[in-house]
Amino acid sequence: MATQFPDDFKCPISLEIMSDPVILSSGHTFDRASIQRWLDSGHRTCPITKLPLPDHPSLIPNHALRSLISSYTLLSPAKLQHHHQHHHQYHHHQQRHSQPPTLISSLTSRASTLESKLDSLDQLARLSKRDSAFRAKLTESGAVSAVLKCVDSDEPRLQEKALTLLLNVSLDDDNKVGLVAEGAIARIVTVLQGGSPNSRAVAATMLTSLAVVEVNKATIGAYPYAIRALVSLLRDGKSREKKEAATALYTICLFPDNRRRAVECGAVSILIRIAESGLERAVEVLGLLAKCREGREEMERFNGCVGILVRVLENGSSRGVQYALLTLNSLCSFSEPMCVEARNEGALAICVGLVENDNERIRKNASNLVQVLSGNHSMK
């Protein structure tokens, strides 16, 4: 009996009661399924005003209208989907964004559809990206535990969007410690081991963010499978995942105790291969791992390691050259065979050229390596 419902509750396209009302940039509200069909069929104008829309129109959930419809009909959103009928036009006078409490309750409510949870996470991520006051409000509201539960979901989109929101929250140092206290590491490691490629990349970035705080470097390193999961991602992931995993390992291995752990997980040979394929971030991690005896021993065992590092000296970016020098300095200072190999690969002549480099660190590391390779440096 459609006449019982106000016209504003009905979608202008389907003429049915809206179960998931969304606002188009023209300011008019439609049922999501209907307007999505309209857009999917290639239309780029508002069905009502006929005004042009952007190539990728955003659909903003109209939570205010949705809750009005829910309370008016006393039906849950799920039942509403079967109770469809229409409207000619709904002018949107409310705020375009829902308030955080509404968005958070959408994450925790059993009645929430997957789409409404995804919308809420999208809005919260957008609002939290550049606004530290909003991030503080979010953590004070107890939202983190609700978002962490979404990370546990088997639905890849929900997992990825929840991780993206947590990554924003982790921008503030206080939150980095708070997130670890709330059990974020366990969730992140689980995603690293079995999430979708995008989720795994975001999870690795999240570890980098958390590990900026010194105490978290130790906690992450000691966590079972955390470093191992990053090393596996480094080995098996696509380029974005490899890069994010290498960045996370670099940050975590700034803490000396974690270097041996990374070596024990088989990181060295994987990093050398990746460095050879051109990912310089891997050379940065090798620079840290070469500071521990176990790391140097693994590098010595890898046939051709020195040659790969010398190629980086020849062809790498400024940062790549800097870390290749650092790694070679560590290797050659402790091992005469490594010195011989480096000289055979032409490292001495390259380093003599680098002593004139504009970058102070490169100059310093190059002149150190010249000393070592010339035999003016006693073995440690």
Side-chain angles (χ1 to χ4, degrees):
M1 299 202 301
T3 48
Q4 296 177 341
F5 300 108
D7 276 350
D8 282 352
F9 286 9
K10 298 169 188 173
C11 171
I13 299 173
S14 66
L15 311 187
E16 296 175 339
I17 295 292
M18 290 185 275
S19 60
D20 191 1
V22 291
I23 308 147
L24 208 52
S25 54
S26 64
H28 293 286
T29 295
F30 304 87
D31 206 4
R32 181 184 292 278
S34 302
I35 192 65
Q36 196 62 61
R37 272 196 301 276
W38 168 266
L39 296 170
D40 288 348
S41 62
H43 295 288
R44 283 299 173 271
T45 54
C46 169
I48 292 172
T49 64
K50 302 292 184 277
L51 291 171
L53 297 168
D55 284 345
H56 303 287
S58 53
L59 302 177
I60 301 158
N62 190 335
H63 292 284
L65 181 61
R66 184 182 176 135
S67 69
L68 248 180
I69 295 171
S70 289
S71 43
Y72 190 92
T73 56
L74 297 174
L75 289 173
S76 73
K79 286 180 191 157
L80 259 178
Q81 286 171 2
H82 303 291
H83 217 294
H84 286 70
Q85 277 278 334
H86 166 199
H87 136 194
H88 50 83
Q89 200 167 350
Y90 178 74
H91 292 287
H92 176 62
H93 298 298
Q94 279 110 355
Q95 241 181 314
R96 286 169 79 82
H97 286 301
S98 298
Q99 290 304 303
T102 319
L103 296 171
I104 293 156
S105 63
S106 147
L107 297 179
T108 51
S109 162
R110 284 171 182 272
S112 292
T113 62
L114 172 63
E115 289 304 323
S116 72
K117 286 183 178 179
L118 291 170
D119 285 333
S120 294
L121 288 169
D122 265 343
Q123 281 198 48
L124 290 167
R126 222 175 14 250
L127 293 164
S128 61
K129 191 165 189 178
R130 292 186 182 84
D131 186 347
S132 59
F134 183 83
R135 293 195 291 270
K137 208 184 296 180
L138 207 54
T139 48
E140 285 158 18
S141 72
V144 169
S145 62
V147 183
L148 281 167
K149 282 196 178 74
C150 293
V151 176
D152 292 335
S153 165
D154 293 332
E155 162 56 50
R157 288 177 302 160
L158 197 63
Q159 193 175 69
E160 186 187 339
K161 286 180 190 293
L163 282 166
T164 303
L165 174 55
L166 290 173
L167 182 58
N168 291 352
V169 170
S170 76
L171 292 170
D172 306 306
D173 283 2
D174 287 353
N175 292 346
K176 292 183 203 294
V177 178
L179 281 163
V180 169
E182 290 217 39
I185 296 174
R187 260 83 169 213
I188 293 167
V189 171
T190 302
V191 174
L192 285 174
Q193 291 171 318
S196 70
N198 280 350
S199 289
R200 291 166 81 178
V202 180
T205 313
M206 179 92 191
L207 278 187
T208 303
S209 177
L210 295 177
V212 167
V213 174
E214 214 57 33
V215 65
N216 285 351
K217 288 183 177 73
T219 310
I220 293 166
Y223 193 89
Y225 301 114
I227 289 177
R228 187 172 297 284
L230 284 172
V231 172
S232 298
L233 189 57
L234 202 57
R235 184 188 62 223
D236 303 327
K238 300 279 187 291
S239 68
R240 180 187 169 206
E241 295 149 77
K242 279 185 188 336
K243 188 173 181 185
E244 296 302 344
T247 305
L249 272 176
Y250 176 82
T251 312
I252 291 164
C253 289
L254 288 168
F255 182 70
D257 288 6
N258 289 335
R259 293 166 193 164
R260 193 188 70 256
R261 290 179 175 128
V263 173
E264 286 166 358
C265 291
V268 169
S269 59
I270 297 165
L271 286 163
I272 295 171
R273 286 191 197 96
I274 293 173
E276 187 176 23
S277 74
L279 182 66
E280 288 190 347
R281 192 58 51 83
V283 185
E284 296 174 27
V285 188
L286 288 169
L288 293 178
L289 300 187
K291 291 177 184 236
C292 74
R293 181 176 52 80
E294 296 87 348
R296 290 190 297 274
E297 287 171 355
E298 282 299 311
M299 288 176 213
E300 284 186 56
R301 281 192 201 101
F302 190 102
N303 191 17
C305 171
V306 168
I308 290 164
L309 292 169
V310 173
R311 294 299 81 76
V312 177
L313 291 187
E314 287 182 303
N315 308 315
S317 72
S318 165
R319 196 168 165 87
V321 169
Q322 185 187 316
Y323 278 90
L325 285 168
L326 192 68
T327 312
L328 286 166
N329 263 312
S330 295
L331 289 174
C332 296
S333 297
F334 285 92
S335 160
E336 182 56 37
M338 291 281 101
C339 270
V340 172
E341 200 178 326
R343 280 195 291 268
N344 290 344
E345 290 284 349
L348 191 54
I350 298 167
C351 286
V352 168
L354 290 172
V355 171
E356 304 299 317
N357 195 279
D358 293 343
N359 181 308
E360 189 193 343
R361 285 184 174 177
I362 289 179
R363 284 200 305 272
K364 183 166 172 267
N365 283 332
S367 72
N368 276 353
L369 193 50
V370 168
Q371 296 294 313
V372 175
L373 296 177
S374 307
N376 304 333
H377 186 94
S378 57
M379 292 289 156
K380 292 177 186 171

